[in-house]
Amino acid sequence: MNSIVSIRDVVKEYELGTTVVQALRGVSLEVMKGEFLSIAGPSGSGKTTLLNLIGCVDTATRGVVEVAGKDTAKLTERELTDLRLNTIGFIFQSFNLVAVLNVFQNVEFPLLLQRKLGSKERRDRVMNLLEQVGLHTHAKHRPSELSGGQRQRVAVARALVTDPLLVLADEPTANLDSATGNQIIDLMKELNQKKGTTFIFSTHDHKVMQHANAVIRLADGKVLARESAKDAVAHALSLGEAPAEAPAGARV
Amino acid sequence: MSRLTMLLQIAWRNLLASPVNLIIGGLILAGTFLFVVVGGLLDSLNDSMARSVIGSVAGHIQIYSSKSKDELSLFGGMGGDPDLSAVTEFPRIKEALEQVENVKEVVPMGSSGALITAGNIVDVTLERLRNLFKARDGQLDDPRLKGLSREELDTRIASTRRHVRQMIKVLEADQKKALAILKNQAIDPDVVASLAKVSQDAFWDDFDKDAMGSLEFLENKIAPQVTDAQMMFLRYLGTDLDRFQTSFDRMQIIDGTPVPKGQRGFLLAKLFYEDQMKLKNARRLDKLRDAKANGRLIAKDDELKRFVKENRSQTRDIVLQMDDLKTAEATKKLQTFLASTEPDLTTLLSTFFDTTDENLEARHQYFYKELAPMVELYKVRVGDTLTIKAFTRGGAIQAVNVRVYGTFSFTGLEKSPLAGGTSLMDLMSFRDLYGYLTADKAEELKQLQRDTGAKTVSRESAEDALFGEGNTIVAEATAGIIDEENSFTGVGRRLREDDLVKRVYTDSEINGGVILNAAVMVKDPTKLTETIAEINRVSQEKNLSIKAVSWQQASGILGQIITFFRGVLFLAVLFIFGIAMVIINNAMMMATMQRTQTIGTMRAIGAQRSLILTMVLTESVVLGVLFGGVGILLGSGVMAWLHERGIPAPNDVAYFFFSGPKLLPQLSSGNLVIALIIILLVTLISTLFPALIATRVSPLRAMQSDE
């Protein structure tokens, strides 16, 4: 399998007033094509920062981030945007649909940005995806008319509509009840298997984690381990009912 | 294309989401509406005014001496007539200008004014009587009295004598009324005695023994008791009448005929003629009827009520014009018409003129059918010779006899005091009155000075000392109707010779003398600026000492009015759009701040900054074009409606600006384009800053949740 994301010795520092906060302290990571990878860890462990770097919406302070074979540090703003458009799909914690567009238009949006397909092809592609996420009957609905789960399914469709190599999902189930959350993960898994799309999602929910091929455990801006879902779940459970809230030190 | 559709859709839905957009839209709508309608009206006004100014006196371009102290102002400026230097080389100028490609015709001009007093009715009648006596005795050669036999003259003398006696009766009645109100001392005993004397039959029995002496007594003692002699300011434009009429094709002869080519003559402006020279009662009746035709009612209109009141109280102009026979006839007619037994004509007339909205039409008709033929409706009639006397700057009195050939007006401007206030005169007469010293004239004046001695010289220097070297004409003229045969000698006398009136002047004579300005008619009015520049260049090159200005400049303040209103409109629109810009800026700023997550999301999933910029700009452009479009449509609708209906001139002055009784506003496509450009500029500029802020929103913003 080819590597789609390659991260080497990445440090990310933020300036908070006069102090410098290190969100990532030397992270190295390889993600292979077709993986269904979970990034786990408590709040503040650097999950989102890592996803931001992989998603090319942020740049590393030091170290190398390669996405689809491209060193992101060497790309211009425009090139990064194009990379996001054509290679990466995004699923957000709070869905982030464009409120003034309907379901169809939200999913069509990236295709319009790409300007590659004609309107009929766009239409077929969008409707096909909506059918896959089970919302083809809701194409004309506005996001405000949908439930949380439905919205996230629209977001999934939007993330996949450009046939990206990689889909990033930041806590995709955090705003959903567990049943709905499971459905979303199942959907993502299904698409991963059907299309071979690489998924990287962050979560602190062990029920979500267990669907992953592998789990990267982060704490204090460092990769603690890359392990199987079973091990990760077991590890999480060993920390008690609320693994995400546990102080980082307790796990060592 | 679908991207644009999407952006438009986003813009549209975002606009619907925020009520502040309604306020912004309202402002844009109001601004464009105002711009389209008022701008269109001003354009139409400008066009129609241009037609008025160009067609009535200015021509497209005016030229005048570059040595002039003041700028040319054809309709008079703040300080009266401008001080223009004389142009003495007109033939050379004309020749040079006619070489300029776009020039069609050059019409020489000079304008000035004179005060004329139409003598009071007693004076006029006495004058007529004097002439009849003279004609009978073979001392007067008046064309109008020519061919009358001695018997006919005697009949006329008898009738006119009766007329004078009738006047005296009216005056006596006046005096009785006055005595009843005032104390005896308030009235000059001499006046009472004079009136008593002339009302005796004895005075009239002896009248013929010394007709001239009796007339003099009446003129000195009785005529001054009628104090309603009118001073009239007569504005005239001296020009090559023939060329004027062909160049200013809106000019129309209303009464009489044009002045025969090359001859001296006078054409009275019809409006001036009606307003100033017509019998006031008749004029007021006309005005009442006009007002009624325009839907005004006497019962509801203070001005019309005043007309009626004045008509009722001011009947002496009519009464004094009638001799005893006519008085009896008019009394009888009015008694029948009014079904009254009232014996007094003044009272009858007062009742007759008590017009209401109901009886006005009938009385107007009756007046012109029955009463008007018994009186002189006009103080000056077509065919009369008008004597205009003016003081030249040299201090000599210059008197010119000009025959009134007719009246004229400009089509569409019949009621405009601006276009209808200036009468036309031939150039030769104008030059005589202007008194510019040609070599010929200087010699004559010297002769005159030799005759009158040193006094003339001292007076001249006194005036020079008082008024500096100004070449303003102190113009004063007296009664056109009174032909004062023997009052002048020398120049004045010679100028009034009959052959002068009949003489036909050649083109070179007409063009050869002094003028003050000239109208230039062009072939292609769109090339005005270029032609003016060309004329000024030619003037420099050939040392013509003239200056060319556009009709707009030449018309003085009048020409600048539209420019002024355009400025006001500009400021108003600027103000409205200024407010709109501030509000748009604020609203878009707020909207951008509220939408950072959406913008961040779009950026994250691959939208370039340019798309975000376009999105925000599209939003306000849609807003602007939408409401601006409605404003333009509404404005165009209103303009179309106004064009269909026309705006009636609210008063006589407006006739000039409207170039006729109605303004038919025309929507100019130029204004629509400008309105659209303004809207686009306003919306783009006011949104540029919020849009730039929006492009700075980081895609990271998508990852942060709103809570």
Coordinates of all heavy atoms in Angstrom, one line a residue, chain B residues 246-280:
Chain B
T246 N -34.8 84.9 -41.0 CA -34.5 83.6 -41.6 C -33.7 82.7 -40.6 O -33.9 81.5 -40.6 CB -33.7 83.8 -42.9 OG1 -32.7 84.7 -42.7 CG2 -34.6 84.3 -44.0
S247 N -32.9 83.3 -39.8 CA -32.0 82.5 -38.9 C -32.8 82.0 -37.7 O -32.6 80.9 -37.2 CB -30.8 83.3 -38.4 OG -30.0 83.6 -39.5
F248 N -33.6 82.8 -37.2 CA -34.4 82.4 -36.0 C -35.8 82.0 -36.5 O -36.7 82.8 -36.5 CB -34.5 83.5 -35.0 CG -33.2 83.9 -34.4 CD1 -32.4 84.8 -35.0 CD2 -32.7 83.3 -33.3 CE1 -31.1 85.1 -34.5 CE2 -31.5 83.5 -32.7 CZ -30.7 84.5 -33.3
D249 N -35.9 80.7 -36.9 CA -37.1 80.4 -37.6 C -38.3 80.2 -36.7 O -39.4 79.9 -37.2 CB -36.9 79.1 -38.5 CG -36.2 78.0 -37.7 OD1 -36.2 78.1 -36.4 OD2 -35.8 77.0 -38.3
R250 N -38.1 80.3 -35.4 CA -39.3 80.2 -34.5 C -40.0 81.5 -34.5 O -41.1 81.6 -34.0 CB -38.9 79.9 -33.1 CG -38.4 78.5 -33.0 CD -38.0 78.2 -31.5 NE -39.2 77.9 -30.7 CZ -39.1 77.4 -29.5 NH1 -37.9 77.0 -29.0 NH2 -40.2 77.1 -28.8
M251 N -39.4 82.6 -35.1 CA -40.0 83.9 -35.1 C -41.2 83.9 -36.1 O -41.1 83.4 -37.2 CB -39.0 84.9 -35.4 CG -39.6 86.3 -35.5 SD -38.4 87.5 -36.2 CE -39.5 88.7 -36.7
Q252 N -42.3 84.5 -35.6 CA -43.5 84.5 -36.4 C -44.1 85.9 -36.3 O -44.1 86.5 -35.2 CB -44.5 83.6 -35.8 CG -44.6 82.3 -36.3 CD -45.8 81.6 -35.7 OE1 -46.1 81.8 -34.6 NE2 -46.4 80.7 -36.5
I253 N -44.5 86.4 -37.4 CA -45.2 87.7 -37.4 C -46.7 87.4 -37.0 O -47.3 86.6 -37.6 CB -45.2 88.4 -38.8 CG1 -43.7 88.6 -39.2 CG2 -46.0 89.7 -38.8 CD1 -43.0 89.7 -38.4
I254 N -47.1 88.1 -36.0 CA -48.5 87.9 -35.5 C -49.5 88.9 -36.2 O -50.4 88.5 -36.8 CB -48.6 88.0 -34.0 CG1 -47.6 87.1 -33.3 CG2 -50.0 87.7 -33.5 CD1 -47.8 85.6 -33.6
D255 N -49.2 90.2 -36.0 CA -50.0 91.2 -36.6 C -49.1 91.9 -37.6 O -47.9 92.0 -37.4 CB -50.5 92.2 -35.6 CG -51.1 91.6 -34.4 OD1 -52.1 90.9 -34.5 OD2 -50.6 91.8 -33.3
G256 N -49.7 92.5 -38.7 CA -49.0 93.3 -39.6 C -48.1 92.5 -40.5 O -48.3 91.3 -40.8
T257 N -47.0 93.1 -40.9 CA -46.1 92.4 -41.9 C -44.6 92.5 -41.4 O -44.4 93.3 -40.5 CB -46.1 93.2 -43.2 OG1 -45.8 94.5 -43.0 CG2 -47.5 93.1 -43.9
P258 N -43.7 91.7 -42.0 CA -42.3 91.9 -41.6 C -41.9 93.3 -42.2 O -42.5 93.9 -43.1 CB -41.6 90.8 -42.4 CG -42.7 89.9 -42.9 CD -44.0 90.6 -42.9
V259 N -40.8 93.8 -41.6 CA -40.2 95.0 -42.1 C -39.6 94.7 -43.5 O -38.9 93.8 -43.7 CB -39.1 95.6 -41.2 CG1 -38.5 96.8 -41.7 CG2 -39.7 95.8 -39.8
P260 N -40.0 95.5 -44.5 CA -39.5 95.3 -45.9 C -37.9 95.2 -45.8 O -37.3 96.0 -45.1 CB -40.0 96.4 -46.7 CG -41.1 96.9 -45.9 CD -40.9 96.7 -44.5
K261 N -37.4 94.4 -46.6 CA -35.9 94.2 -46.6 C -35.2 95.5 -46.8 O -35.5 96.3 -47.6 CB -35.6 93.2 -47.8 CG -34.1 92.8 -47.8 CD -34.0 91.7 -48.8 CE -32.5 91.4 -49.2 NZ -31.6 91.2 -48.1
G262 N -34.2 95.7 -45.9 CA -33.4 96.9 -46.0 C -34.0 98.1 -45.4 O -33.3 99.2 -45.4
Q263 N -35.2 98.1 -45.0 CA -35.8 99.3 -44.5 C -35.8 99.5 -43.0 O -35.6 98.5 -42.3 CB -37.3 99.4 -45.0 CG -37.4 99.7 -46.5 CD -38.8 100.2 -46.8 OE1 -39.5 100.7 -46.0 NE2 -39.2 99.9 -48.1
R264 N -35.9 100.7 -42.6 CA -36.1 100.9 -41.1 C -37.4 100.4 -40.7 O -38.4 100.6 -41.4 CB -35.9 102.4 -40.8 CG -34.6 103.0 -41.0 CD -34.6 104.5 -40.9 NE -33.2 105.0 -40.9 CZ -32.5 105.3 -39.9 NH1 -33.1 105.2 -38.7 NH2 -31.3 105.8 -40.0
G265 N -37.5 100.0 -39.5 CA -38.8 99.5 -39.0 C -38.7 98.9 -37.7 O -37.6 98.6 -37.2
F266 N -39.9 98.7 -37.1 CA -40.0 98.2 -35.7 C -41.0 97.1 -35.7 O -42.0 97.2 -36.3 CB -40.4 99.4 -34.8 CG -40.0 99.2 -33.4 CD1 -38.7 99.5 -33.0 CD2 -40.9 98.8 -32.4 CE1 -38.3 99.3 -31.6 CE2 -40.6 98.6 -31.1 CZ -39.3 98.9 -30.7
L267 N -40.6 96.0 -35.0 CA -41.5 94.9 -34.7 C -41.7 94.8 -33.2 O -40.7 94.6 -32.5 CB -41.0 93.6 -35.3 CG -41.0 93.5 -36.8 CD1 -40.2 92.3 -37.2 CD2 -42.4 93.6 -37.4
L268 N -42.9 95.0 -32.7 CA -43.1 94.9 -31.3 C -43.3 93.5 -30.9 O -44.0 92.7 -31.6 CB -44.4 95.7 -30.9 CG -44.3 97.2 -30.8 CD1 -45.6 97.8 -30.8 CD2 -43.5 97.6 -29.6
A269 N -42.7 93.1 -29.8 CA -42.9 91.8 -29.2 C -44.3 91.7 -28.8 O -44.9 92.5 -28.1 CB -42.0 91.6 -28.0
K270 N -45.0 90.6 -29.3 CA -46.4 90.5 -29.1 C -46.8 90.5 -27.6 O -47.8 91.2 -27.2 CB -46.9 89.2 -29.7 CG -48.4 88.9 -29.5 CD -49.3 89.8 -30.3 CE -50.7 89.4 -30.3 NZ -51.6 90.5 -30.8
L271 N -46.0 89.9 -26.8 CA -46.4 89.8 -25.4 C -46.3 91.2 -24.7 O -47.2 91.7 -24.0 CB -45.5 88.9 -24.6 CG -45.9 88.6 -23.2 CD1 -47.1 87.8 -23.1 CD2 -44.8 88.0 -22.4
F272 N -45.2 91.9 -25.1 CA -45.1 93.3 -24.6 C -46.2 94.2 -25.1 O -46.8 95.0 -24.4 CB -43.7 93.8 -25.1 CG -43.5 95.3 -24.8 CD1 -43.0 95.6 -23.5 CD2 -43.7 96.3 -25.7 CE1 -42.8 97.0 -23.2 CE2 -43.5 97.6 -25.4 CZ -43.0 98.0 -24.2
Y273 N -46.6 93.9 -26.3 CA -47.7 94.7 -27.0 C -49.0 94.4 -26.2 O -49.7 95.4 -25.8 CB -47.8 94.2 -28.4 CG -48.7 95.0 -29.3 CD1 -48.5 96.4 -29.4 CD2 -49.8 94.4 -30.0 CE1 -49.4 97.1 -30.2 CE2 -50.6 95.2 -30.8 CZ -50.4 96.5 -30.9 OH -51.3 97.3 -31.7
E274 N -49.2 93.2 -25.9 CA -50.4 92.9 -25.1 C -50.4 93.4 -23.7 O -51.4 93.9 -23.2 CB -50.6 91.3 -25.1 CG -50.9 90.7 -26.5 CD -52.3 91.1 -27.0 OE1 -53.3 91.0 -26.2 OE2 -52.5 91.4 -28.2
D275 N -49.3 93.1 -23.1 CA -49.2 93.4 -21.7 C -49.1 94.9 -21.4 O -49.7 95.4 -20.5 CB -47.9 92.8 -21.1 CG -48.2 91.4 -20.6 OD1 -49.3 91.0 -20.5 OD2 -47.2 90.7 -20.2
Q276 N -48.4 95.6 -22.2 CA -48.1 97.0 -21.9 C -49.0 98.0 -22.8 O -49.2 99.1 -22.3 CB -46.6 97.3 -22.2 CG -45.7 96.5 -21.4 CD -45.7 96.8 -19.9 OE1 -45.9 97.9 -19.5 NE2 -45.4 95.8 -19.1
M277 N -49.3 97.6 -23.9 CA -50.0 98.6 -24.8 C -51.5 98.3 -25.0 O -52.1 99.2 -25.5 CB -49.3 98.6 -26.2 CG -47.8 99.0 -26.0 SD -47.1 99.5 -27.5 CE -45.7 100.4 -26.9
K278 N -51.9 97.2 -24.5 CA -53.4 97.0 -24.7 C -54.1 97.6 -23.6 O -53.6 97.8 -22.5 CB -53.6 95.4 -24.7 CG -55.0 95.1 -25.2 CD -55.2 93.6 -25.3 CE -56.4 93.2 -26.1 NZ -56.6 91.8 -26.2
L279 N -55.3 98.0 -23.9 CA -56.2 98.5 -22.9 C -56.3 97.5 -21.7 O -56.6 96.3 -21.9 CB -57.6 98.6 -23.5 CG -58.7 99.2 -22.6 CD1 -58.5 100.7 -22.4 CD2 -60.1 99.0 -23.3
K280 N -56.0 98.0 -20.5 CA -55.8 97.1 -19.3 C -57.1 96.2 -19.1 O -56.9 95.0 -18.8 CB -55.6 97.9 -18.1 CG -54.2 98.6 -18.1 CD -53.1 97.7 -17.9 CE -51.7 98.4 -18.0 NZ -50.8 97.8 -19.0

